[in-house]
Amino acid sequence: MEGIKVALGDRSYDIIICRDCLKDIGNRLSVIGLKGKIGVVTNPIVRKFFGSKISASLKNVGFMPFIITIPDGERYKTLKTVSDIYDKLISLKFERSSALIALGGGVIGDITGFAAATYLRGIPYIQVPTTLLAHVDSSVGGKTGVDHKKGKNLIGAFYQPGLVLIDIDTLHTLPRREFIAGMAEVVKYGVIADEGLFSYLEENLNDILSQKTDNLLYIIKRSCEIKAGIVEEDEREVSGRRALLNFGHTFGHAIETITGYKKFKHGEAVAIGMALAAKLAVHLNLCHYDVYKRINDLLNRIGLPTEMPGLRIKEAVKIMQHDKKVSRGKIRFILPERIGKMSVCADWKIEDIKGIF
């Protein structure tokens, strides 16, 4: 078992990384002071694998668990789905002392966190991620929210979980494509903060893709450490430090919106976004071509896409203008200077974007 503290004063919490630990979740939630009713928000696929195990663990220590199943997929990350969760919580008479568990991937975590942040003006919630992407990224940091037809994650709140419990054995249930998509976020952490992690990925990729335990523990823990450190410095993206986590996401979110969240997994869109951002950095003379090549080559070796043929530039820019990272009407791109060092760039022209296609 590995543990990481996210130090945010009275909003601090632990990230626990372990194997075969879902069966102990009841005890862990008792330790942090939860009791009574707990709603386990999940989708039908994840419920089949883990719903009974978590319910049994919660019942064994006196909790009253209720499974709340919502549809699977980014296109259901909407206010309507959140409203359906509210309806369920109200019918079950959930109170402020009741809690929610987000059991699933990033979509489940974002929706559940937003529901917890807004139901009765805030009830506790726990992140129990079951995908690699959620393990290393979306379950940590307190960003919650839903999508709008004009763009991704435009409606949301900063609301920290009470605990993040990462059981790496859940990864064995993932389709191969889901695991590969999650690797994009691990690559992101290497590029933005740790060349050592990036080199580790380059040198140990076969073992990582074979899901060897020691390699998984290392990349998950290191990714969580990097994100925890950034969140501690800039919890609500005020100073600009947290903006680095959006590397690849400005282009990526536009790609997801254009394709209706149906063609690419989130990590796949982010991989394309990282490749485009690195190419833009070269075009703007922020970094050497070799930086782009290392990023692009690693993404390709993993099996991630790095381009989207037919992407309409004007449409993408229009969507990016609704992005949360827009400041004073200017889209800010997170671009590499080298592996491990980034810049926030708002000094670009539409011709620069055209120049990378």
Side-chain angles (χ1 to χ4, degrees), residues 137-346:
D137 189 69
S138 60
S139 66
V140 178
K143 276 191 174 181
T144 73
V146 295
D147 300 334
H148 185 275
K149 63 183 179 180
K150 295 291 187 181
K152 186 178 170 76
N153 293 331
L154 295 183
I155 303 164
F158 289 97
Y159 195 66
Q160 301 295 342
L163 174 72
V164 179
L165 181 65
I166 298 172
D167 185 339
I168 67 168
D169 284 354
T170 60
L171 298 179
H172 300 319
T173 67
L174 282 184
R176 182 71 170 174
R177 184 182 176 189
E178 288 281 0
F179 182 83
I180 294 296
M183 284 294 298
E185 296 286 359
V186 184
V187 172
K188 177 191 80 176
Y189 286 112
V191 176
I192 69 171
D194 187 352
E195 186 174 10
L197 172 60
F198 193 91
S199 296
Y200 182 89
L201 297 175
E202 291 176 315
E203 295 163 9
N204 297 275
L205 188 58
N206 289 339
D207 288 340
I208 293 167
L209 296 182
S210 298
Q211 298 190 27
K212 291 189 176 179
T213 298
D214 288 346
N215 302 95
L216 287 180
L217 282 172
Y218 176 77
I219 65 170
I220 292 169
K221 183 182 180 185
R222 186 68 192 115
S223 297
C224 288
E225 286 173 339
I226 293 168
K227 184 159 191 183
I230 291 174
V231 170
E232 288 169 356
E233 289 183 36
D234 185 17
E235 181 183 2
R236 295 174 177 265
E237 214 165 287
V238 175
S239 72
R241 174 74 171 155
R242 186 163 182 164
L244 299 184
L245 296 170
N246 295 313
F247 173 55
H249 287 62
T250 305
F251 281 116
H253 287 172
I255 289 167
E256 288 182 281
T257 302
I258 288 169
T259 56
Y261 307 103
K262 294 177 182 178
K263 183 172 182 177
F264 297 105
K265 300 290 184 184
H266 174 65
E268 294 169 343
V270 168
I272 298 171
M274 288 191 290
L276 290 174
K279 191 182 289 188
L280 180 60
V282 175
H283 183 80
L284 295 173
N285 295 315
L286 285 173
C287 74
H288 193 276
Y289 176 80
D290 286 351
V291 175
Y292 160 73
K293 189 174 188 307
R294 281 185 76 188
I295 294 169
N296 197 72
D297 286 353
L298 179 57
L299 293 172
N300 284 331
R301 285 179 60 203
I302 290 168
L304 287 161
T306 54
E307 57 184 20
M308 179 184 165
L311 178 63
R312 296 182 294 276
I313 299 169
K314 288 185 178 179
E315 183 179 9
V317 171
K318 183 178 180 180
I319 290 170
M320 288 189 287
Q321 286 170 339
H322 292 289
D323 192 275
K324 303 184 302 301
K325 294 170 286 300
V326 169
S327 178
R328 298 180 182 178
K330 196 70 174 176
I331 301 168
R332 295 180 301 158
F333 289 104
I334 312 303
L335 305 177
E337 295 181 18
R338 56 177 172 78
I339 304 297
K341 188 175 190 303
M342 310 298 288
S343 289
V344 180
C345 178

Side-chain angles (χ1 to χ4, degrees), residues 2-252:
E2 303 280 357
I4 300 165
K5 171 73 74 174
V6 183
L8 295 169
D10 60 1
R11 297 178 308 286
S12 298
Y13 56 95
D14 290 321
I15 304 168
I16 297 172
I17 307 168
C18 50
R19 291 195 61 191
D20 191 28
C21 54
L22 291 188
K23 64 188 180 208
D24 300 321
I25 191 170
N27 289 322
R28 294 188 184 279
L29 299 196
S30 293
V31 167
I32 64 173
L34 296 183
K35 57 186 177 181
K37 295 176 181 177
I38 293 191
V40 182
V41 183
T42 190
N43 65 44
I45 299 169
V46 178
R47 178 176 183 167
K48 180 180 68 175
F49 287 117
F50 308 116
S52 297
K53 180 182 288 189
I54 283 188
S55 291
S57 178
L58 294 170
K59 288 177 182 177
N60 284 343
V61 293
F63 287 104
M64 290 178 284
F66 300 90
I67 303 289
I68 300 172
T69 306
I70 62 177
D72 179 37
E74 182 82 32
R75 63 185 178 276
Y76 297 106
K77 190 176 157 183
T78 63
L79 285 172
K80 182 185 182 306
T81 301
V82 175
S83 183
D84 291 342
I85 294 172
Y86 294 152
D87 290 344
K88 192 71 172 178
L89 300 181
I90 292 168
S91 69
L92 293 170
K93 296 183 171 56
F94 267 53
E95 303 171 352
R96 282 184 174 169
S97 60
S98 308
L100 295 179
I101 291 174
L103 175 65
V107 170
I108 290 289
D110 285 358
I111 292 173
T112 304
F114 186 64
T118 50
Y119 180 73
L120 300 180
R121 297 191 175 91
I123 64 174
Y125 85 109
I126 308 301
Q127 288 274 14
V128 183
T130 60
T131 67
L132 180 60
L133 186 146
H135 282 190
V136 302
D137 189 69
S138 60
S139 66
V140 178
K143 276 191 174 181
T144 73
V146 295
D147 300 334
H148 185 275
K149 63 183 179 180
K150 295 291 187 181
K152 186 178 170 76
N153 293 331
L154 295 183
I155 303 164
F158 289 97
Y159 195 66
Q160 301 295 342
L163 174 72
V164 179
L165 181 65
I166 298 172
D167 185 339
I168 67 168
D169 284 354
T170 60
L171 298 179
H172 300 319
T173 67
L174 282 184
R176 182 71 170 174
R177 184 182 176 189
E178 288 281 0
F179 182 83
I180 294 296
M183 284 294 298
E185 296 286 359
V186 184
V187 172
K188 177 191 80 176
Y189 286 112
V191 176
I192 69 171
D194 187 352
E195 186 174 10
L197 172 60
F198 193 91
S199 296
Y200 182 89
L201 297 175
E202 291 176 315
E203 295 163 9
N204 297 275
L205 188 58
N206 289 339
D207 288 340
I208 293 167
L209 296 182
S210 298
Q211 298 190 27
K212 291 189 176 179
T213 298
D214 288 346
N215 302 95
L216 287 180
L217 282 172
Y218 176 77
I219 65 170
I220 292 169
K221 183 182 180 185
R222 186 68 192 115
S223 297
C224 288
E225 286 173 339
I226 293 168
K227 184 159 191 183
I230 291 174
V231 170
E232 288 169 356
E233 289 183 36
D234 185 17
E235 181 183 2
R236 295 174 177 265
E237 214 165 287
V238 175
S239 72
R241 174 74 171 155
R242 186 163 182 164
L244 299 184
L245 296 170
N246 295 313
F247 173 55
H249 287 62
T250 305
F251 281 116

